[in-house]
Amino acid sequence: MHLDVQDLRNFYYRSALGRAAQASLRGRLAEIWPEAKGQTVVGFGFAAPLLRPYLSDARRVIALMPGPQGVMPWPPDGSNVSVLTEETLWPIETGHVDKLIMLHGLETSERAYDLLEEAWRVLGPGGKALFIVPNRAGLWSRRDRTPFGFGRPYSASQLETQLRKHQFLPERHVGALYQLPSAKRAWMKSGPVFERAGRAMPGIFAGGAFMVEASKLVYPPKGKVSRAKRLRNPVPQGVTAPIAGRI
């Protein structure tokens, strides 16, 4: 079950622990993808906190937010790029995405199979995706006071196995959220120390979250593979034309 967009916004933008989590994730993302000049960058779930560094250089930035979660205008200081979408039917043409970031999307989805199929569809040849999920062995997945305490946590091997089944090639994974999931002042002050120590450790010693980078495989897998057909919901009569003034 997806979290409510208001709860996610309050955590990442209105709490000290959420801002620290945002800094940890964004710092690791900058190491993996330092720039996206001239590229199309898409976030799904609640990836908005990680998309801001790409607004100035990317050709296009889109923040897809699933219907069960809800949507908020973003960024607040510029032209809106957020879109409310069906979880497994994104309003993006096939093969048009260069970089995809999924945060609070996979672990809370009840249709993970179809979600990964849709992620594979929109990526272009050579496109890369970054899947960020709670670490099942970490402390953050055991605290339901943060968004990482909801949904299904993963181990690195579980996530990589899932991705390979959907024709993604995992290339590297790193950890994030090494500080304790506590808003107490003493732990918050020591947070940067834990984060620096965690980044110096091998990737196998992940913190509260895994970040797995994967590329799209465009050649067919070996053996006989059948893809399940997805049913499209019919459009109600009378709402096929867009209404002026609405997102």
Side-chain angles (χ1 to χ4, degrees), residues 68-117:
Q69 169 190 291
V71 67
M72 71 175 192
W74 188 87
D77 54 351
S79 300
N80 178 64
V81 301
S82 62
V83 179
L84 183 67
T85 181
E86 164 64 36
E87 184 180 16
T88 58
L89 292 173
W90 299 354
I92 298 177
E93 295 183 17
T94 298
H96 275 56
V97 175
D98 299 296
K99 287 184 168 64
L100 170 67
I101 302 171
M102 192 174 293
L103 174 63
H104 302 307
L106 183 60
E107 75 274 14
T108 55
S109 175
E110 297 178 358
R111 303 175 62 187
Y113 180 95
D114 291 338
L115 179 59
L116 288 173
E117 290 281 290

Side-chain angles (χ1 to χ4, degrees), residues 49-205:
L50 307 184
L51 296 177
R52 181 171 288 277
Y54 304 117
L55 287 174
S56 59
D57 295 330
R59 182 172 65 88
R60 190 177 186 187
V61 174
I62 305 173
L64 298 176
M65 300 189 184
Q69 169 190 291
V71 67
M72 71 175 192
W74 188 87
D77 54 351
S79 300
N80 178 64
V81 301
S82 62
V83 179
L84 183 67
T85 181
E86 164 64 36
E87 184 180 16
T88 58
L89 292 173
W90 299 354
I92 298 177
E93 295 183 17
T94 298
H96 275 56
V97 175
D98 299 296
K99 287 184 168 64
L100 170 67
I101 302 171
M102 192 174 293
L103 174 63
H104 302 307
L106 183 60
E107 75 274 14
T108 55
S109 175
E110 297 178 358
R111 303 175 62 187
Y113 180 95
D114 291 338
L115 179 59
L116 288 173
E117 290 281 290
E118 191 70 353
W120 186 92
R121 179 187 70 81
V122 301
L123 279 176
K128 294 183 180 293
L130 188 68
F131 299 91
I132 306 172
V133 296
N135 175 15
R136 66 178 302 177
L139 295 176
W140 286 71
S141 65
R142 305 176 191 180
R143 295 289 301 273
D144 58 7
R145 294 183 180 181
T146 80
F148 295 90
F150 292 85
R152 176 191 174 187
Y154 287 82
S155 67
S157 60
Q158 286 176 331
L159 180 56
E160 291 183 3
T161 299
Q162 184 91 331
L163 295 178
R164 286 192 176 94
K165 289 180 179 179
H166 294 271
Q167 292 183 248
F168 286 101
L169 177 64
E171 296 185 345
R172 59 176 164 173
H173 71 263
V174 299
L177 302 181
Y178 288 96
Q179 69 181 82
L180 297 180
S182 173
K184 292 184 178 180
R185 181 173 297 182
W187 292 120
M188 291 295 297
K189 286 185 177 180
S190 60
V193 177
F194 283 109
E195 291 292 332
R196 288 194 296 271
R199 292 186 184 188
M201 293 189 295
I204 191 173
F205 298 104

